[in-house]
């Protein structure tokens, strides 16, 4: 028979709870403020006295909540980890018991917040007068508050909780007073916690840090008539503290988005310069989208990196397409600023104050109902990794350029569980989806912001009008011809130098384009080979071995190797077979197309067989177009997905049009071919720019409208992104 014994915790464990779970005195006050919120209080007063004298310093936290009855003191307050405020049913689901007065969902999660006071000081005195709240049947009044006729005083000396004693050996006593003349709370219910023997001296910096956190503890949507936190240090430490509200109205970029449980996104956005009316403003109202599909490639990439099998990935994505989000509606507000001197003067007279406020309040904070979820949006907590994205790509902005708010409904977001140490949510499946949703919404804001940012910069600092290099050399030759040279030999020498420069430029451009294209296309094939190797191992190790299946996998590997070689072999402007090159480009994506159930249809004109084009360039362009189509087709949920390839003669020139039935382009060609422009969160934004640059050498790139597709007899099924390549140069 085995031995049994119960846990017998040392008294020191309660000190550990206060010390380890509550990271700072600031977070301790936050925990106590949440307790007051849960108790249906309309305010919390946090008063410091003699704060610069550590021997006599006192902190008092007082509210007018429903207080603690003697039963709650005994059966709840003295039981760490109780589920008093967050009970769970038999199936493990959270039971929502809203507060009777303000209808609040309790914020206290773990039943350990009360030990936060240990972080502040060694001695506490708790005075509480309870009240009963009775719901009324009378339509005129929802509830009545009956203040009870007693007051409880409880004291704790945390120094008594030593490592040598057991928790059960340290009695906690309290007194019940029924003499009204000696009540602290004479007219109303409430709780007062007085902390003495403070753990550490407070400084002006700590006081202002607490003020900043107190300001951000409550949601900007909170009604201060229903809940307010008042902070007083009894000195001048908080004088002149910057208020974020004073700069929200002048933010050049303002963005509000509502994401519902079905991933429908509704957006309002505005751009305006309060000190530059000439430039004008742009507004978007009630823009609607659905981001469920946009999350599909994100999940796919993540699961591939974790080496999930393709069938498991498809199963996950199929399930994801059917489910509602696990946290209900989200409201997101972003106020964004540019901090370079040229743009600052267009919207503020006081850039120093603005930068100071951003230094104090920047970041994207998260709220459940009225209360904040720490530590999101704190200084140094760039939880969306905006600074990293900014380093990787100039299309992103920095974390310190934004003041943002994410609002959650507590009742519907119970799947997002706060960590006990108050450092964000537990990293469960619900949080992973929440994080990706917020990032996708911020990416949508980035796209709108960049549209106005680029126009603004062009307005402030117009870029010098650029000319093609060949136009510049042509002008140079004209200047030579129009100049009266006495020596014809010197004149010819100058023209020869101009010709050498022209040739040198073309060669260098080709030298740069080739590795860019090779890198993009070869990486696609290498990525597919990486996933093919485990499948080849399965076939080789299978018992019995199937030669037919082995040959199939070897041929698949050979296709990918040939795909890489096709962009490595030097070709020059030799004639290439269009049909063969397009089919090779498609075969490089055979597995990806197959697993995503994307059909490819080719409509080749026998009269368009040969074009003069470097084969590396041609395959690079076609593969990039296919890659884009696959990505965006993956973001939509439909049974039949496809890419249509058509070759034909237009005005006697070879022409290729490639159309998919995805969501189509949302931007004009000017933006699409601009370097580093991309709607993908992790997109580099050089694909279409590269194609446009290559086509300048051979013809032109066009983005077609749906009406134009009918004219060239593209089947009506294909009305997504449409790209037309016309080869009308050097043929």
């Amino acid at each position: 028979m085995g031995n049994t014994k119960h846990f017998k915790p040392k008294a020191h464990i309660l000190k550990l709870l206060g010390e380890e779970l509550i990271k700072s005195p600031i977070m301790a006050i936050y925990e106590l403020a949440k307790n007051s919120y849960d108790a249906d209080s309309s305010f919390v007063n946090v008063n410091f006295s003699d704060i610069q004298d550590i021997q006599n310093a006192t902190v008092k936290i007082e509210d007018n909540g429903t207080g603690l009855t003697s039963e709650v003191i005994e059966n709840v307050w003295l039981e760490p980890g109780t589920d008093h405020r967050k009970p769970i049913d038999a199936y493990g689901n959270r039971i929502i018991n809203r507060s009777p007065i303000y209808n609040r969902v309790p914020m206290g999660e773990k039943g350990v917040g009360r030990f936060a006071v240990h972080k502040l000081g060694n001695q506490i005195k708790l005075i509480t007068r309870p009240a009963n709240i009775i719901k009324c049947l009378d339509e005129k009044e929802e509830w009545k508050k009956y203040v009870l006729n007693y007051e409880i005083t409880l004291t704790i000396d945390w120094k008594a909780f030593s490592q040598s004693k057991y928790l059960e050996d340290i009695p906690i006593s309290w007194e019940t007073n029924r003499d009204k003349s000696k009540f602290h709370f004479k007219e109303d219910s409430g709780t007062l916690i007085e902390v003495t023997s403070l753990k550490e001296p407070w400084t002006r910096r700590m006081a202002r840090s607490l003020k900043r956190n107190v300001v951000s503890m409550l949601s900007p949507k909170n009604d201060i008539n229903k809940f307010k936190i008042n902070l007083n240090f009894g000195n001048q430490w908080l004088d002149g503290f910057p208020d974020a509200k004073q700069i929200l109205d002048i933010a050049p970029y303002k963005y509000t988005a509502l994401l519902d449980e079905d991933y429908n996104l509704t957006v309002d956005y505005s751009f305006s310069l309060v000190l530059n009316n000439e430039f004008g403003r742009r507004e978007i109202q009630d823009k609607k989208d659905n981001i469920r599909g946009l999350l599909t490639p994100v999940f796919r990439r993540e699961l591939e990196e974790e080496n999930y099998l393709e069938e498991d990935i498809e199963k996950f994505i199929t399930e994801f397409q059917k489910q509602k989000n696990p946290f209900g509606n989200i409201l997101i507000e972003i106020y964004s600023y540019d901090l370079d001197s040229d743009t600052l003067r267009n919207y503020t007279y006081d850039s120093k104050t603005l930068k100071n406020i951003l230094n104090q309040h920047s970041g994207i904070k998260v709220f459940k109902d009225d209360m904040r979820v720490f530590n999101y949006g704190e200084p140094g907590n760039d939880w969306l990794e905006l600074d990293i994205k900014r380093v990787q790509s100039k299309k992103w902005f920095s974390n310190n350029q934004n003041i943002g708010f994410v609002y959650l409904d507590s009742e519907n977001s119970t799947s997002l569980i706060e960590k006990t140490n108050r450092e964000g949510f537990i990293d469960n499946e619900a949080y992973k989806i929440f994080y990706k949703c917020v990032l996708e919404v911020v990416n949508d804001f980035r796209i709108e912001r960049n549209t106005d940012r680029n126009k603004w910069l062009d307005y402030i600092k117009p870029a010098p009008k650029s000319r093609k290099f060949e136009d510049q050399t042509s002008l140079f030759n004209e200047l030579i011809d129009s100049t009266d040279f006495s020596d014809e030999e010197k004149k010819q020498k100058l023209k020869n130098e101009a010709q050498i420069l022209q040739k040198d430029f073309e060669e260098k451009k080709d030298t740069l384009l080739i590795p860019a294209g090779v890198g993009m296309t070869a990486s696609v094939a290498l990525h597919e080979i990486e996933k093919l190797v485990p499948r080849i191992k399965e076939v080789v190790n299978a018992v019995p071995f199937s030669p037919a299946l082995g040959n199939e996998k070897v041929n698949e590997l050979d296709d990918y190797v040939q795909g890489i070689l096709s962009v490595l072999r030097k070709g020059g402007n030799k004639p290439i077979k269009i049909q063969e090159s397009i089919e090779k480009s498609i075969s490089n994506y055979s597995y990806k197309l197959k697993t995503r159930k994307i059909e490819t249809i080719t409509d080749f004109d026998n009269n368009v067989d040969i074009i003069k084009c470097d084969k590396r360039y041609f395959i690079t362009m076609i593969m990039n177009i296919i890659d884009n189509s696959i990505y965006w087709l993956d973001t939509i949920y439909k049974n039949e997905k496809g890419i249509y390839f058509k070759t034909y003669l237009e005005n006697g020139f070879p022409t290729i049009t490639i159309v998919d039935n995805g969501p189509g382009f949302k931007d004009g060609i000017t933006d699409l071919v601009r370097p580093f422009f991309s709607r993908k969160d992790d997109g580099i934004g050089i694909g279409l720019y590269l194609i446009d640059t290559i086509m300048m050498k051979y013809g032109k790139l066009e983005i077609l409208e749906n009406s134009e597709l009918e004219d060239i007899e593209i089947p009506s099924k294909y009305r997504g992104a449409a790209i037309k390549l016309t080869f009308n140069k050097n043929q």
Side-chain angles (χ1 to χ4, degrees), residues 80-103:
T82 178
D83 63 356
H84 169 63
R85 287 194 177 132
K86 292 207 169 181
I88 304 296
D89 67 17
Y91 301 100
N93 299 313
R94 165 85 183 280
I95 300 171
I96 304 296
N97 290 329
R98 289 184 174 272
S99 65
I101 300 176
Y102 293 115
N103 203 35

Side-chain angles (χ1 to χ4, degrees), residues 399-641:
N399 186 50
N400 69 347
Q401 291 178 252
N402 311 284
I403 295 176
F405 312 100
V406 179
Y407 303 103
L408 288 158
D409 170 17
S410 284
E411 185 167 348
N412 294 312
S413 60
T414 54
S415 60
L416 296 174
I417 304 165
E418 286 185 65
K419 295 177 183 176
T420 306
N421 61 6
R422 302 301 182 235
E423 291 186 353
F425 293 120
I426 292 171
D427 190 17
N428 57 19
E429 285 304 312
Y431 176 73
K432 285 182 170 65
I433 298 173
F434 167 74
Y435 181 86
K436 289 176 174 62
C437 283
V438 174
L439 199 55
E440 197 58 56
V441 173
V442 173
N443 185 53
D444 180 73
F445 167 62
R446 172 193 67 81
I447 294 162
E448 300 298 349
R449 187 188 194 279
N450 277 352
T451 298
D452 292 308
R453 166 75 175 163
N454 291 327
K455 289 177 183 175
W456 183 4
L457 289 177
D458 287 343
Y459 175 82
I460 296 170
K461 285 185 174 181
K465 192 174 181 181
S466 61
R467 293 192 301 267
K468 292 181 182 178
F469 190 80
E470 48 265 41
D471 293 338
Q472 291 175 295
T473 52
S474 177
L475 178 62
F476 184 60
N477 279 318
E478 287 178 21
L479 286 170
I480 293 172
D481 287 331
S482 62
T483 305
D484 186 15
F485 282 92
S486 56
D487 190 333
E488 190 66 31
E489 186 179 339
K490 288 182 179 178
K491 179 178 177 179
Q492 189 57 45
K493 193 173 182 180
L494 277 172
K495 294 183 80 170
N496 289 343
E497 286 298 319
Q499 194 173 356
I500 291 168
L501 280 172
Q502 171 84 35
K503 186 179 178 184
D504 187 52
F505 171 77
E506 293 295 335
E507 287 176 355
K508 282 186 169 57
K509 188 171 76 172
D510 287 355
T511 303
L512 290 171
L513 280 174
I514 290 167
V518 167
M520 289 173 68
T521 48
S523 66
V524 170
L526 286 169
H527 183 63
E528 296 304 314
I529 289 172
E530 184 183 32
K531 290 190 293 183
L532 178 61
V533 169
R535 299 200 299 274
I536 292 176
K537 285 181 179 178
E538 283 180 27
V539 172
V540 170
N541 294 324
V543 179
F545 173 72
S546 168
L549 197 55
N551 280 326
E552 180 188 319
K553 295 302 174 190
V554 169
N555 289 334
E556 192 177 342
L557 177 62
D558 184 56
D559 276 345
Y560 289 131
V561 172
Q562 292 303 320
I564 294 175
L565 292 175
S566 67
V567 292
L568 290 177
R569 293 192 183 103
K570 191 172 181 179
N573 291 327
K574 297 176 183 175
I576 61 170
K577 293 181 178 179
I578 293 181
Q579 181 173 337
E580 178 189 291
S581 299
I582 290 176
E583 287 174 345
K584 170 52 64 183
S585 301
I586 295 171
S587 74
N588 288 341
Y589 286 96
S590 57
Y591 184 73
K592 198 177 259 191
L593 291 163
K594 178 183 174 184
T595 56
R596 287 157 179 73
K597 298 186 173 87
I598 299 172
E599 183 184 31
T600 55
I601 301 294
T602 54
D603 179 5
F604 295 124
D605 186 335
N606 293 330
N607 296 317
V608 187
D609 187 30
I610 301 291
I611 57 169
K612 288 183 182 176
C613 179
D614 191 306
K615 193 172 185 179
R616 293 170 296 183
Y617 287 164
F618 185 81
I619 289 178
T620 289
M621 291 190 293
I622 302 302
M623 283 185 66
N624 189 268
I625 294 168
I626 296 171
D627 195 63
N628 276 339
S629 284
I630 290 173
Y631 179 91
W632 291 108
L633 282 166
D634 205 25
T635 68
I636 61 171
Y637 188 58
K638 59 164 59 176
N639 292 326
E640 295 182 3
K641 301 178 183 180

Side-chain angles (χ1 to χ4, degrees), residues 17-241:
L17 282 172
E19 288 284 358
E20 301 300 323
L21 297 181
I22 311 300
K23 296 293 184 184
S24 69
I26 291 164
M27 289 307 298
I29 289 170
Y30 169 68
E31 290 297 328
L32 296 171
K34 283 210 298 190
N35 284 349
S36 296
Y37 177 86
D38 288 350
D40 258 344
S41 179
S42 64
F43 67 82
V44 180
N45 291 331
V46 183
N47 293 312
F48 291 76
S49 57
D50 298 319
I51 193 60
Q52 290 171 280
D53 179 4
I54 190 68
Q55 300 299 322
N56 299 309
T58 303
V59 185
K60 293 181 180 179
I61 301 99
E62 184 172 359
D63 65 40
N64 67 340
T66 52
L68 303 167
T69 63
S70 54
E71 291 79 16
V72 170
I73 289 278
E74 184 172 354
N75 299 320
V76 177
W77 210 80
L78 294 176
E79 288 188 12
T82 178
D83 63 356
H84 169 63
R85 287 194 177 132
K86 292 207 169 181
I88 304 296
D89 67 17
Y91 301 100
N93 299 313
R94 165 85 183 280
I95 300 171
I96 304 296
N97 290 329
R98 289 184 174 272
S99 65
I101 300 176
Y102 293 115
N103 203 35
R104 293 170 181 163
V105 175
M107 301 301 292
E109 296 242 4
K110 313 295 183 187
V112 296
R114 69 198 64 127
F115 301 109
V117 286
H118 177 258
K119 194 72 178 180
L120 295 172
N122 289 309
Q123 309 225 350
I124 70 163
K125 179 167 73 172
L126 180 144
I127 301 172
T128 183
R129 186 178 180 187
N132 284 336
I133 310 298
I134 308 297
K135 288 191 176 182
C136 301
L137 299 176
D138 188 350
E139 292 182 2
K140 293 180 181 178
E141 289 185 292
E142 292 184 18
W143 51 268
K144 280 188 178 179
K145 184 176 184 179
Y146 296 95
V147 181
L148 302 187
N149 63 351
Y150 66 89
E151 201 169 68
I152 295 172
T153 301
L154 177 148
T155 58
I156 296 178
D157 183 354
W158 290 109
K159 290 179 181 177
F161 290 76
S162 65
Q163 288 180 318
S164 62
K165 296 180 180 179
Y166 289 102
L167 197 56
E168 63 188 28
D169 296 331
I170 301 177
I172 303 294
S173 60
W174 60 91
E175 296 177 356
T176 303
N177 175 28
R178 298 186 184 275
D179 184 352
K180 261 192 161 184
S181 65
K182 296 179 181 179
F183 280 8
H184 176 82
F185 296 96
K186 296 188 183 301
E187 303 297 332
D188 200 357
S189 62
T191 299
L192 167 68
I193 297 176
E194 183 179 305
V195 186
T196 53
S197 182
L198 300 193
K199 289 290 190 68
E200 58 184 296
W202 280 70
T203 63
R204 181 178 182 273
R205 175 176 287 185
M206 289 172 68
R208 292 175 80 82
S209 179
L210 176 58
K211 174 67 175 178
R212 178 179 59 77
N213 278 278
V214 163
V215 168
S216 68
M217 279 178 194
L218 295 177
S219 160
K221 304 292 184 189
N222 169 65
D223 183 348
I224 61 171
N225 294 315
K226 293 182 178 178
F227 193 67
K228 188 177 182 182
I229 303 174
N230 303 304
L231 180 63
N232 181 19
F233 275 86
N235 55 25
Q236 289 76 44
W237 279 355
L238 301 180
D239 290 356
F241 187 82

Side-chain angles (χ1 to χ4, degrees), residues 216 364-368 371-374 376-377 383 404-408 425 434:
S216 68
I364 295 179
K365 300 172 176 62
V366 178
F367 297 86
K368 273 195 172 187
M371 298 296 288
R372 184 168 166 206
V373 179
F374 279 86
Y376 302 114
W383 62 289
F405 312 100
V406 179
Y407 303 103
L408 288 158
F425 293 120
F434 167 74

